[in-house]
Amino acid sequence: MKLPVLLALAALMTAPPASFAAPAGFELDLKELKKPSPTLITPPKRAATPQTTKPQPTAKAPAKKARPAAKTALRAPKIAPAPQQAAEQLVLLDGAKACIRARLLLEAVAKPIPVEDALQGLTLPAIAAGRHQGATVVLACDLPTAEAYTFGRLLEADGVTLINLAADAAAELTVATVAEALGLSYRLLQDNPLSYLTSDQQGRPLRLVIGTSSTSN
């Protein structure tokens, strides 16, 4: 070991204890050490306000495309067929006498009934009887005026109408008298040959032609 280092160590070992004394002005008070040290009061921390986060917009599902409605074939409206008009039935009112024409007309447009049922016990030279839409008629020919009036009143009380025609009555008068007694509607079609249009009790059209057998040919 070198000499200067040894000398330094020897000097330290021989130095007095005063050299390690406390510095001047420093006095340690034991009472001060025994006092409790003041506790530091830390103010309470404020609760952190939660940060409100804006809701993230949810992704919308892609809208489903509406399927086009199935095209329905338009059906043409059914047109009801027009009711077919019944063909006219030809009725020839043949005969030279008015009573014969009247009887043929009565049989064509009305429902024939027995003469005895229509007379209801009366004795009368009637040649035909019929009923049409609630009207009942009895046909007689060439009755005297007084007799026709008396029988007419008696039958009227039972709801029966007496038709009394002269044998030489005109065709127009014959048709008009029978139609009025039955409440039958008719119209004139032509004068030659004399023709009328009417209907029977079923509503079927009737074409009445006044004449003889040679007229229809």
Side-chain angles (χ1 to χ4, degrees):
M1 184 178 294
K2 293 180 180 182
L3 181 62
V5 176
L6 293 175
L7 292 176
L9 290 174
L12 287 174
M13 295 178 63
T14 59
S19 60
F20 293 99
F26 180 79
E27 293 181 0
L28 182 60
D29 192 354
L30 295 176
K31 293 182 179 180
E32 292 294 332
L33 293 175
K34 294 181 179 179
K35 289 182 180 179
S37 60
T39 58
L40 297 177
I41 301 174
T42 58
K45 295 182 179 180
R46 294 182 180 178
T49 56
Q51 294 182 355
T52 57
T53 57
K54 294 183 180 180
Q56 297 295 329
T58 57
K60 294 184 179 179
K64 294 182 179 180
K65 294 183 179 180
R67 295 182 179 177
K71 295 183 180 180
T72 56
L74 297 177
R75 296 181 179 179
K78 293 182 179 181
I79 301 176
Q84 295 181 354
Q85 188 175 2
E88 297 176 359
Q89 183 178 354
L90 179 63
V91 177
L92 181 62
L93 303 181
D94 195 5
K97 292 184 178 181
C99 287
I100 298 176
R101 292 173 180 167
R103 179 175 58 80
L104 294 175
L105 175 57
L106 187 62
E107 293 174 352
V109 299
K111 179 181 179 181
I113 60 174
V115 175
E116 294 78 8
D117 294 346
L119 293 177
Q120 298 186 17
L122 294 178
T123 303
L124 179 67
I127 61 172
R131 184 176 292 113
H132 178 76
Q133 295 182 355
T136 303
V137 298
V138 172
L139 177 62
C141 293
D142 288 330
L143 286 179
T145 304
E147 188 176 351
Y149 176 79
T150 302
F151 280 113
R153 294 297 300 273
L154 293 174
L155 291 172
E156 186 180 356
D158 295 327
V160 180
T161 301
L162 174 63
I163 299 175
N164 182 35
L165 289 173
D168 56 352
E172 295 87 343
L173 179 61
T174 301
V175 174
T177 302
V178 175
E180 182 180 358
L182 293 174
L184 188 67
S185 60
Y186 66 99
R187 64 184 177 90
L188 177 67
L189 291 178
Q190 61 186 28
D191 294 328
N192 187 22
L194 189 60
S195 304
Y196 296 92
L197 182 64
T198 185
S199 59
D200 59 9
Q201 57 183 355
Q202 282 80 29
R204 294 171 297 188
L206 299 178
R207 186 184 183 95
L208 309 177
V209 179
I210 310 297
T212 60
S213 299
S214 59
T215 307
S216 59
N217 296 332

